[in-house]
Amino acid sequence: MNALIVQHLATTAILALLVAGICRVLRPGPALRHALWVVVLVKLLVPPVVAWPWAVPLAGNDPAARMPAGAPAGAPAATTAEAPPAETLPPPTVPGPMEVRSAASPPPPPVTRARGGISAATWGRAALAAWACGAAVLALVHAAHILRFRSMFAVRRDAPEFVTRATAELARQFGVRAPEVSVVEGAGSPLFWNLGKPRLILPSALVAFLERGRMNGVIAHELAHLKRRDHWVRWIEMVAGCVWWWNPVYWIARRQLRESAELACDAWVVWALPEHREDYAKTLLEVSELVSCHAAPIAALGMSAGAYRSFERRLTMILEEYVPHRVPARALAAIMVLALAVLPGWAQEAAPPAGDAPPAAAAPKANADVPPPPPPPTPAVDEELAQALDSPVSVEFTECHVEDILKFIRDYVSVNFSLDYRVVRPQAAPEEAPSAAEPGGGEQYATDGVLPYIKLDDVRLKDCLKAILIPLNLDYSAQGSFIWVSTPERIKSEPFYEPAVPAGQEELGEILESPVSIEFDEEHIVNVCQFISDYSGLNIAFDYRVVPAPKPNPPEGAPPVEGDLAGGYLPAVRLADIPLAQALQAILRPLDLYYAVGPGFIWISTPEGIRQSPFAPAQDAAGGQAAAPAKDTRYYYYGAKPKE
């Protein structure tokens, strides 16, 4: 949806520049100029329902990463064949209400590097809310003006006979049906009231002020608006203003339309009354003096004298020039071709329904006599994530670690990744480091995570990830609002699920569903969760039988602890605008940890520790029944301890 809006705005802006250039270089007549700007106004309101069979690439939808040929491994830099301009890259994350910062927490170890912020999606929702509020306010303003004018219009009287007779004669000359004419007290200028049956409204002061002979010019000008259907354009203008009130293109088109409409109507008056040019010019001067003493009428429902910044231009045209009062036939044909070319939208491949995540494998039986429960539901893939997976990307990397590749893709496509460091050796880990799956030193990492070289142009993200991960014995699955990267075996055997929140704990459920944006490097899981607790209000309890406490602060100048998964340290965590429940899963899974929902808090332990805790469900995700609570259950609370 965001890409469609950006494409629509870009196309409309280009069209407005094209029309402005035509008007400046060719200097067409006011009728033709007005018709060109009507195309711009209609383009603003026409959604791209009908699409041409070609697409226009958007900056930001073609992210890439570039790396110099001689760069050492693990030192990536963004690159493509054509690097996108800096202004097209997504804006950097800025601090948000649920960000994670070390400054506001108890003194952390010096190795902590925590950052957080409001994601692009959050900014998008805020902008959409401001957009809707502005549209509602503008619609209320228009409605108030309509009601105010209707109350003024309710007190009216019939126009004098000479005005009615002149209107009928000029209407026949213009080829339109003679409108009903009324005189209203308090109206600022002559106009057409178009809410229902068109009616010509004349200010009582104007009828008393002008001589009878000069009234014909005023009536002819207003009948020209009726002939040209300018009141229809004002309706379109009002709707466009409610929708695009913040768009400069709308305000430019609106100003050009009003100035061109007044000049075009003056051309009609000169055509209808060629012998009275001077009288009409004097009439405009007198009317402008009268209008300056009154408020302008409603823009959408009545045709007023308009802005007078081009008043001198109008007088010059009336007295000295001849301009066509109609759009020439060839020019009209060219405008129709232009409208047919720009009004349809640009083709975009629709995102497929969410469903890229592989199905969760059936959990093994814990007891031969107990049938396994049905597999837990996999979190539904977020719509934005599904669209991102189907968006085209172009990448090129040389001797780059998969962690850095995913980081660049995350930055440019706004996708959350969680990398399973049990099977991928972190960049800072020593070559002989064992896998965290067996801290004792058994099973090694499945991959060192370094990709020698890859170059892909305009490939869907889902296919690009396959091409990146398969050579590393890795795969991915979409889980709610993030992408989980691990080995195919672990993806199949370790399905994701969200523990149910018991009834009566709606507040805890709301906290788990609230969005959070966090970023850590080389941090202990206890410190990560402590920060989350401080900023979200979530009570978190750890099972320290299986979760070791953070190591004491190293002496000043000592190197930080890196890659120690068995000790509870995560090499990197980068998540933006993701529900807290899913963020916990993405953080805990690389440590072989899970969480269960207790009375007012969440309990973090291993699957076996959860089974043996008083917080285990009747049947857990692994298929085993809840065991009796352990006698020596030790845990620690972050936040307020729940009441018993």
Side-chain angles (χ1 to χ4, degrees):
M1 178 61 69
N2 292 338
L4 287 178
I5 293 177
V6 172
Q7 281 189 347
H8 183 69
L9 293 176
T11 306
T12 307
I14 294 173
L15 176 62
L17 290 174
L18 176 63
V19 170
I22 292 174
C23 294
R24 185 173 183 85
V25 175
L26 301 181
R27 297 188 179 278
L32 177 54
R33 189 161 62 247
H34 185 270
L36 287 170
W37 284 106
V38 166
V39 175
V40 178
L41 182 66
V42 174
K43 176 60 180 176
L44 276 171
L45 286 179
V46 174
V49 176
V50 180
W52 293 119
W54 57 79
V56 174
L58 279 180
N61 275 357
D62 189 20
R66 183 183 302 271
M67 187 167 196
T79 183
T80 54
E82 294 183 3
E87 62 269 21
T88 63
L89 300 180
T93 311
V94 295
M98 293 197 65
E99 64 184 359
V100 181
R101 293 183 180 272
S102 57
S105 62
V111 299
T112 300
R113 296 188 298 274
R115 299 185 301 275
I118 301 176
S119 69
T122 303
W123 280 116
R125 287 193 292 267
L128 185 61
W131 189 351
C133 290
V137 169
L138 201 57
L140 290 176
V141 170
H142 281 303
H145 287 174
I146 293 172
L147 294 176
R148 180 172 59 86
F149 192 81
R150 287 193 65 176
S151 63
M152 180 178 64
F153 179 66
V155 182
R156 66 183 186 275
R157 68 176 187 270
D158 294 336
E161 182 180 353
F162 77 92
V163 174
T164 305
R165 185 169 57 252
T167 302
E169 293 175 358
L170 289 170
R172 283 194 298 271
Q173 186 176 356
F174 277 83
V176 296
R177 180 179 297 180
E180 201 174 313
V181 186
S182 300
V183 177
V184 175
E185 296 284 345
S189 66
L191 58 97
F192 264 102
W193 173 257
N194 193 45
L195 189 60
K197 184 179 179 181
R199 186 187 300 268
L200 176 58
I201 305 299
L202 297 175
S204 59
L206 182 65
V207 175
F209 181 73
L210 284 181
E211 299 176 4
R212 291 192 176 188
R214 293 186 180 178
M215 186 63 70
N216 288 352
V218 175
I219 297 173
H221 184 95
E222 300 305 322
L223 288 176
H225 281 303
L226 183 62
K227 175 69 175 179
R228 290 168 34 82
R229 304 295 189 267
D230 285 336
H231 50 285
W232 292 0
V233 177
R234 287 296 178 91
W235 276 110
I236 300 174
E237 180 185 302
M238 183 181 70
V239 176
C242 291
V243 178
W244 300 108
W245 54 269
W246 53 270
N247 191 345
V249 174
Y250 162 74
W251 295 104
I252 294 173
R254 175 179 179 267
R255 184 186 64 189
Q256 295 296 331
L257 282 168
R258 295 193 175 188
E259 291 181 359
S260 300
E262 298 304 323
L263 287 168
C265 290
D266 291 340
W268 274 91
V269 175
V270 172
W271 167 81
L273 305 171
E275 304 298 330
H276 301 279
R277 286 176 175 245
E278 186 175 349
D279 289 340
Y280 179 56
K282 292 179 180 179
T283 300
L284 284 184
L285 289 171
E286 294 173 356
V287 171
S288 65
E289 181 181 354
L290 179 66
V291 170
S292 63
C293 301
H294 296 79
I298 300 170
L301 304 178
M303 298 307 305
S304 69
Y308 285 94
R309 294 195 301 179
S310 61
F311 193 67
E312 183 178 356
R313 172 75 182 92
R314 293 179 63 186
L315 293 178
T316 302
M317 186 197 74
I318 292 169
L319 294 173
E320 301 177 2
E321 300 176 6
Y322 171 78
V323 294
H325 60 285
R326 295 180 184 272
V327 179
R330 292 183 180 180
L332 184 60
I335 290 176
M336 293 179 64
V337 172
L338 177 65
L340 289 175
V342 301
L343 290 183
W346 302 103
Q348 275 195 329
E349 184 180 1
D356 292 325
K365 294 182 181 180
N367 189 320
D369 299 331
V370 180
T378 301
V381 179
D382 183 76
E383 180 181 356
E384 293 184 5
L385 177 57
Q387 292 178 356
L389 285 170
D390 207 59
S391 62
V393 297
S394 299
V395 297
E396 182 177 358
F397 292 97
T398 302
E399 291 295 334
C400 193
H401 195 276
V402 66
E403 177 184 333
D404 294 312
I405 297 176
L406 298 181
K407 178 181 177 181
F408 280 115
I409 294 177
R410 181 207 68 158
D411 291 340
Y412 292 132
V413 194
S414 299
V415 173
N416 290 310
F417 289 97
S418 179
L419 184 60
D420 191 350
Y421 288 102
R422 299 171 297 179
V423 297
V424 179
R425 180 187 290 117
Q427 298 186 65
E431 293 294 329
E432 68 276 12
S435 168
E438 291 192 23
E443 178 186 356
Q444 298 295 311
Y445 292 109
T447 175
D448 62 1
V450 178
L451 196 65
Y453 180 76
I454 187 170
K455 180 179 180 180
L456 299 172
D457 290 325
D458 200 28
V459 178
R460 290 188 304 175
L461 177 58
K462 59 172 67 174
D463 301 323
C464 178
L465 289 175
K466 291 286 186 180
I468 293 171
L469 299 176
I470 289 177
L472 300 175
N473 295 321
L474 300 175
D475 200 353
Y476 79 92
S477 66
Q479 303 290 340
S481 299
F482 70 96
I483 295 176
W484 169 244
V485 177
S486 185
T487 60
E489 296 76 18
R490 285 189 178 272
I491 289 176
K492 293 178 181 179
S493 63
E494 299 176 351
F496 282 81
Y497 71 97
E498 294 185 10
V501 178
Q505 299 196 48
E506 289 77 11
E507 183 177 356
L508 179 60
E510 292 178 359
I511 295 177
L512 289 172
E513 290 300 321
S514 61
V516 60
S517 299
I518 58 177
E519 183 171 340
F520 285 95
D521 290 314
E522 299 294 347
E523 187 55 84
H524 195 277
I525 183 63
V526 172
N527 293 332
V528 174
C529 291
Q530 180 182 356
F531 292 145
I532 293 175
S533 174
D534 291 340
Y535 283 94
S536 69
L538 178 67
N539 296 319
I540 302 177
F542 275 99
D543 185 353
Y544 280 107
R545 298 170 300 177
V546 295
V547 181
K551 296 180 181 180
N553 293 345
E556 185 176 356
V561 179
E562 296 178 333
D564 187 9
L565 290 179
Y569 284 87
L570 284 169
V573 177
R574 294 179 178 87
L575 300 169
D577 197 32
I578 180 175
L580 180 53
Q582 296 184 29
L584 288 171
Q585 296 183 64
I587 293 170
L588 297 175
R589 183 60 60 89
L591 300 174
D592 279 325
L593 297 176
Y594 294 77
Y595 77 90
V597 179
F601 63 94
I602 64 167
W603 166 258
I604 295 178
S605 183
T606 61
E608 185 63 26
I610 290 177
R611 291 192 190 101
Q612 297 177 357
S613 72
F615 321 117
Q619 285 185 325
D620 62 12
Q625 291 186 339
K631 294 182 179 179
D632 185 20
T633 302
R634 295 170 292 167
Y635 49 85
Y636 183 81
Y637 285 99
Y638 283 117
K641 185 174 181 180
K643 297 180 180 179
E644 299 181 358

